[in-house]
Amino acid sequence: LLDLDERCRRLIHSLDIEDPPASYREVAEVEGLAPSSIGPIRRRCLKRLGKIVQKLSHSRHRTHLQGEG
């Protein structure tokens, strides 16, 4: 998560990691955003996180293959 910007880290933590998760309304209030903007921002943040994980996975796979040769 450290490769994400601060807002994305807060959003993902509040909505996907906290138990129970915060509501969009709660997150919007804390972030100073409209509740309707939380979903699209969350999707963009999760997409960024997915790209980071994919890049790390690819890097580890490549490093592993180089170690076999």
Side-chain angles (χ1 to χ4, degrees), residues 23-60:
S23 69
Y24 278 21
R25 183 178 297 173
E26 292 168 328
V27 172
E29 188 174 306
V30 169
E31 295 294 326
L33 300 167
S36 61
S37 68
I38 300 300
I41 294 170
R42 179 183 183 215
R43 277 191 297 279
R44 286 193 298 271
C45 291
L46 290 173
K47 188 174 182 176
R48 287 183 202 142
L49 181 59
K51 287 180 181 181
I52 291 166
V53 169
Q54 187 175 31
K55 187 183 292 185
L56 287 172
S57 177
H58 179 72
S59 176
R60 285 186 179 181

